Amino acid sequence: MNPLAVMKIIKHSGYKVPFDKDKLELSLKKSGASADLIKETLAEIERQMYDGITTKEIYKLAFAILKKASSGHAARYNIRQALQMLGPAGFYFEKFVARLYAAEGFKTKINLTLQGKCVSHEVDIAIMKNNMISMIECKFHGSKEGSSDVKVPMYILSRFNDLKAKKHTIFSNSEAIDSCIIVTNNRFTKDAQDFANCSGISLLSWDYPQDNNLKNKIDKGTLYPITCLTTLSIVEKEKLLILDQILVKDVIDDPQSLYKIGLSENRVKNTLHEASQICKHH
């Protein structure tokens, strides 16, 4: 028997699970790596595997091998981590989510205060298409361990019910809120999913729903967060976020922003090269 088949790895949550080579291979494919590079990466990881290795160590190994071949591959492999860098409070994550919906043809507004039937509520994002308005609440987690449990949709359902009982001025006058969406950069528990489905609330997370989740939307629209760029430091990424450069596409459209944060000519060139590598893969 292949020793890897019985090898256990330690997840971020601390749980031990069997090593799943197929799952790792799929994440490498999503990075845009060639079949040869995937094979080479898997072989190298298998060489360095041991029982009890953490998923973080496997991730670091894969990231280093991909980065050596192409920073674009490494950046795409890095997306989930990059979403966690849209914190610490999640304000940039809200802007990022608004951009995902804008790319799908929705009108968007962020950071609203709306009066419900009983009390007023802060709403992260409102979106509109075909005269239908949805409120979006974002649940941001700064680490991979956090998941949104059933209390989240229960609480947001009560806010949605209070808000939909009244007309609002959002995009124009006297509008009703028709539906509610909750978005998280991590995961929802099974109970949270069941409660939301039963209550008519839509959920969007890293891997839910299966066919149109956060990672699918990002890949489909090449809507990669600026934080996945490997050629920039954390401080430089933060400076770009302050300038409202939320997506990798934004620096391609506005290279001047890279000069504004103090990059040299050579580093601007390297960053734009990486940005175009990331966005041309489809």
Side-chain angles (χ1 to χ4, degrees):
M1 182 191 268
N2 179 357
L4 287 169
V6 292
M7 205 169 272
K8 292 275 203 298
I9 62 169
I10 299 172
K11 295 184 72 170
H12 288 268
S13 59
Y15 288 113
K16 266 194 165 190
V17 295
F19 173 60
D20 187 343
K21 185 179 173 180
D22 293 344
K23 198 174 172 185
L24 176 58
E25 190 172 351
L26 186 64
S27 66
L28 293 169
K29 271 182 188 160
K30 280 190 171 289
S31 78
S34 66
D36 284 346
L37 181 56
I38 291 169
K39 202 172 161 188
E40 182 193 319
T41 307
L42 287 170
E44 184 55 39
I45 288 168
E46 286 179 6
R47 259 199 300 276
Q48 298 197 40
M49 285 279 290
Y50 58 88
D51 199 47
I53 191 171
T54 63
T55 51
K56 193 175 182 178
E57 286 174 272
I58 294 170
Y59 166 83
K60 273 178 147 176
L61 274 172
F63 182 79
I65 298 163
L66 291 174
K67 188 158 173 29
K68 210 179 276 182
S70 154
S71 55
H73 297 334
R76 280 191 298 276
Y77 185 69
N78 191 35
I79 292 166
R80 191 157 177 215
Q81 201 101 337
L83 290 178
Q84 282 163 13
M85 291 168 72
L86 293 171
F91 172 60
Y92 295 116
F93 180 63
E94 290 164 22
K95 286 190 163 192
F96 175 74
V97 171
R99 293 290 298 273
L100 289 187
Y101 282 95
E104 293 177 0
F106 287 88
K107 279 186 177 175
T108 67
K109 285 213 169 166
I110 61 170
N111 294 326
L112 304 156
T113 302
L114 301 174
Q115 180 61 45
K117 186 183 175 188
C118 305
V119 293
S120 71
H121 303 269
E122 286 184 6
V123 173
D124 293 335
I125 309 166
I127 60 172
M128 181 172 80
K129 194 196 262 189
N130 303 328
N131 292 321
M132 300 291 278
I133 294 176
S134 297
M135 61 178 271
I136 298 180
E137 287 301 294
C138 296
K139 294 319 256 177
F140 177 78
H141 297 278
S143 72
K144 278 188 181 175
E145 291 89 64
S147 57
S148 297
D149 64 18
V150 70
K151 292 192 290 294
V152 172
M154 279 179 167
Y155 167 60
I156 290 169
L157 176 66
S158 63
R159 297 180 61 213
F160 170 51
N161 285 336
D162 192 37
L163 283 163
K164 73 175 183 182
K166 233 174 127 41
K167 297 280 191 187
H168 307 279
T169 301
I170 303 171
F171 297 97
S172 59
N173 283 328
S174 195
E175 297 163 317
I177 294 175
D178 304 289
S179 60
C180 177
I181 304 165
I182 309 171
V183 183
T184 182
N185 59 314
N186 271 10
R187 293 190 163 94
F188 292 102
T189 63
K190 179 74 167 64
D191 274 357
Q193 291 172 14
D194 291 345
F195 182 84
N197 288 336
C198 181
S199 309
I201 289 177
S202 299
L203 299 181
L204 177 66
S205 76
W206 176 246
D207 56 3
Y208 183 89
Q210 197 177 345
D211 298 325
N212 196 25
N213 49 49
L214 213 45
K215 60 182 171 188
N216 292 125
K217 282 180 184 285
I218 291 167
D219 280 332
K220 198 163 66 184
T222 57
L223 301 164
Y224 301 104
I226 196 84
T227 42
C228 75
L229 286 167
T230 66
T231 41
L232 298 176
S233 70
I234 290 172
V235 171
E236 287 161 348
K237 291 170 189 177
E238 282 171 0
K239 285 179 179 175
L240 285 170
L241 288 169
I242 289 165
L243 291 175
D244 223 29
Q245 305 289 290
I246 307 294
L247 304 176
V248 171
K249 279 180 172 177
D250 295 340
V251 293
I252 295 173
D253 294 340
D254 179 18
Q256 283 306 312
S257 61
L258 296 171
Y259 292 104
K260 279 180 198 161
I261 65 163
L263 296 196
S264 65
E265 187 77 47
N266 199 37
R267 290 198 60 217
V268 167
K269 201 172 139 192
N270 289 342
T271 303
L272 288 174
H273 176 67
E274 183 187 22
S276 64
Q277 269 192 330
I278 294 165
C279 290
K280 77 178 176 192
H281 159 73
H282 215 228

